[in-house]
Amino acid sequence: MLVFAFTSCNDALDILPADSIPAENAFTSVADLQNGLNAIYGQYDPSNTIDYSSNFVDDTKIGADNGGQKVSFHNWVLQSNATESQSMWLNCYATINSINRVLTAAASITPSATEQAQYNKILGDCYALRAFLHLEVLSYYGVNYDAAAAGVPYVDFVVVFEQLPRNTAGEVFAAINDDLNTAAGLVNASFTDNGYVTQDFITAVRARAALYSGDPTTALTATQSLIADYPLANQIQYVNMFGDDSDNTEVIFKLYRTDGNNDQRIGGVWHFTGTGGAFMEMSNGFFDLVSSNPSDIRFPVNVDPASNPGANLHQIGKYLGKGGFDYLNDVKVFRVSEMYLIRAEILAKQGDYPGAALLLKNIRDARTGSSTTLSSFTDLVSAMDEILTERRLELAFEGHRYIDLKRTRSITNAGIERDPADCGGSTPCSLAGNDYRFTFPIPVAELNGNPNITQAPGY
């Protein structure tokens, strides 16, 4: 009787509830796959990268309306149980799992002749987005970008109970390129809506990944292709691009955000979205940099006109909202100016300092509406310092600053140096380039549930 009882219990545990089916089996048609893909675009939350890359470094300070928001993170208290340590990891891997469910389901669905192009596009989007999201996670949680360094798990199947170890950074970059190659064979070049995956999105991901991994040939080829097809925005176009999202001159890829995405108001990274006011503000250091040339259009775009510099109030103006919704804007993920900057960095590393300087001048000319001085570099460190300054100006509050400092510190031997006006008291001023906090900790929830993963050094 005991044997029968135990056997019956084990059998019962193996039976799914009658009303429960695996999520990927809920897809039965191409239309279902399309709905799944649409949900994936809304599921990914890019505010994490914009939050981390601005509030951790030297581009922000504690705001006048701060009631404790982001203070610990801004003060470089980075622990595995902190919200900042967990949010990106959980959001990216949850979105990756959703992608893998769509891909798994698609394998058992045969499209009709009229559905084949749509079916291919859905798969192409999934492979490209999976590559991009793994690059996002690797950027923060990978120890560094050397091929043998500890990276992050590359997940290409539906995870249920699996406990995955870290892949090396080299393995992650290889898998990213494999997914991008697969996507490129599925996405038709005639599809050009930059709110979704296009061939240009695939090329832009490839360029960024090549910069991080140290693949100059791929980076130069990819950036040249995009620079040839996308002009830099002039001053009016630049304002419209960030003000009301009406100009896409240099936007390679953006995430559409409408009134249905009220929980993803990108300006909410620094502002109270209900009552207004800023709990985080632009740092004095960045304000001094961006305001040093009033003719540079990046000054009025980045600085909220409601700011009062005389009273040391510098509110961030890049995402003030559209269509009557405060702080709600489409999120620009790839712009062609980044391709200019990637190319400039690669050329500088190859010793082509005049070529790098000319690319920087092209950006400055577009932003000032005039011919600017051509810089002259004599060594890699001075070239990298100016490239990083231009990246700080051009890509401000778009999710780059922390990663830029992390990945170039071996060249510049620099970390984070805040302006004296932005620190003091409980707010630290300097974070050394070799500090362990240039790698994010694996979240405690992952550590508790996954004995096969290792924590980053220092935590």
Side-chain angles (χ1 to χ4, degrees):
M1 290 178 64
L2 287 172
V3 170
F4 175 79
F6 286 130
T7 302
S8 299
C9 288
N10 288 335
D11 288 345
L13 292 173
D14 290 337
I15 299 172
L16 288 167
D19 62 348
S20 175
I21 58 174
E24 59 271 20
N25 292 343
F27 298 93
T28 60
S29 67
V30 173
D32 289 340
L33 297 177
Q34 185 66 62
N35 289 333
L37 176 62
N38 293 343
I40 287 164
Y41 277 102
Q43 183 177 7
Y44 169 56
D45 186 2
S47 66
N48 291 316
T49 58
I50 292 173
D51 174 358
Y52 303 165
S53 66
S54 61
N55 290 328
F56 192 81
V57 291
D58 51 359
D59 285 347
T60 57
K61 64 179 180 180
I62 304 300
D65 298 313
N66 192 287
Q69 297 84 2
K70 295 291 175 185
V71 171
S72 292
F73 182 63
H74 185 69
N75 289 352
W76 301 330
V77 178
L78 190 54
Q79 299 172 333
S80 62
N81 62 350
T83 298
E84 290 80 10
S85 303
Q86 302 187 70
S87 294
M88 174 186 282
W89 181 276
L90 296 175
N91 179 255
C92 283
Y93 277 119
T95 308
I96 289 167
N97 219 36
S98 296
I99 289 170
N100 289 333
R101 290 191 188 281
V102 170
L103 290 172
T104 299
S108 62
I109 294 173
T110 302
S112 67
T114 58
E115 293 174 325
Q116 188 65 55
Q118 181 185 12
Y119 179 84
N120 290 347
K121 180 64 168 60
I122 292 168
L123 297 186
D125 283 30
C126 284
Y127 283 111
L129 291 171
R130 187 169 74 182
F132 170 67
L133 291 172
H134 279 100
L135 181 60
E136 289 281 88
V137 182
L138 177 66
S139 299
Y140 284 85
Y141 297 90
V143 174
N144 60 56
Y145 308 121
D146 296 335
V152 295
Y154 201 95
V155 185
D156 57 2
F157 61 93
V158 178
V159 172
V160 182
F161 298 115
E162 290 81 2
Q163 298 169 328
L164 303 177
R166 289 177 183 260
N167 289 101
T168 65
E171 290 168 340
V172 175
F173 283 121
I176 286 171
N177 286 322
D178 285 346
D179 272 350
L180 292 176
N181 290 338
T182 302
L186 291 163
V187 176
N188 195 300
S190 64
F191 187 89
T192 57
D193 187 335
N194 67 355
Y196 300 91
V197 168
T198 63
Q199 285 289 340
D200 290 342
F201 168 81
I202 295 168
T203 302
V205 178
R206 203 185 296 278
R208 189 183 289 179
L211 174 68
Y212 292 3
S213 64
D215 179 359
T217 300
T218 298
L220 290 175
T221 301
T223 55
Q224 184 57 44
S225 170
L226 294 169
I227 288 171
D229 290 340
Y230 290 82
L232 288 165
N234 62 32
Q235 289 190 311
I236 294 173
Q237 292 166 336
Y238 195 83
V239 170
N240 292 337
M241 177 170 58
F242 287 104
D244 58 12
D245 304 321
S246 66
D247 195 282
N248 290 305
T249 300
E250 68 173 58
V251 180
I252 298 168
F253 176 72
K254 66 180 181 181
L255 286 163
Y256 288 124
R257 290 297 180 257
T258 66
D259 57 349
N261 304 105
N262 275 334
D263 59 334
Q264 292 190 29
R265 298 191 188 198
I266 200 65
V269 167
W270 313 284
H271 302 95
F272 295 106
T273 56
T275 59
F279 54 86
M280 299 298 293
E281 295 178 16
M282 179 183 296
S283 67
N284 287 277
F286 185 75
F287 178 83
D288 290 345
L289 176 65
V290 77
S291 64
S292 61
N293 184 355
S295 66
D296 192 322
I297 198 62
R298 293 173 292 195
F299 172 45
V301 166
N302 279 289
V303 181
D304 186 342
S307 296
N308 185 355
N312 197 28
L313 300 174
H314 308 117
Q315 295 191 19
I316 296 165
K318 208 160 200 177
Y319 307 100
L320 294 180
K322 62 174 181 175
F325 293 92
D326 291 343
Y327 310 120
L328 180 69
N329 290 96
D330 297 343
V331 183
K332 286 71 180 174
V333 180
F334 286 102
R335 296 190 290 113
V336 78
S337 59
E338 182 190 349
M339 301 302 118
Y340 277 78
L341 291 161
I342 289 174
R343 191 172 183 83
E345 186 170 332
I346 296 297
L347 292 181
K349 289 175 179 176
Q350 294 181 336
D352 183 359
Y353 300 136
L358 182 59
L359 289 163
L360 300 184
K361 173 178 164 55
N362 289 337
I363 295 174
R364 290 195 293 261
D365 288 355
R367 301 306 176 236
T368 61
S370 61
S371 180
T372 59
T373 303
L374 180 67
S375 300
S376 178
F377 309 127
T378 58
D379 59 80
L380 179 58
V381 173
S382 63
M384 283 302 306
D385 284 343
E386 187 160 326
I387 290 167
L388 286 171
T389 297
E390 201 61 41
R391 287 184 68 94
R392 187 184 183 191
L393 273 170
E394 178 61 24
L395 305 174
F397 311 115
E398 294 181 50
H400 294 269
R401 181 65 173 164
Y402 173 88
I403 298 303
D404 285 346
L405 294 174
K406 173 181 179 175
R407 63 181 183 75
T408 62
R409 55 200 167 129
S410 62
I411 298 173
T412 63
N413 198 31
I416 301 172
E417 290 294 334
R418 289 175 173 155
D419 188 283
D422 296 318
C423 56
S426 62
T427 302
C429 293
S430 300
L431 189 71
N434 62 357
D435 194 279
Y436 68 94
R437 284 165 289 189
F438 275 105
T439 302
F440 267 44
I442 301 297
V444 65
E446 182 72 30
L447 293 171
N448 289 341
N450 181 1
N452 295 321
I453 202 158
T454 56
Q455 183 56 283
Y459 293 99

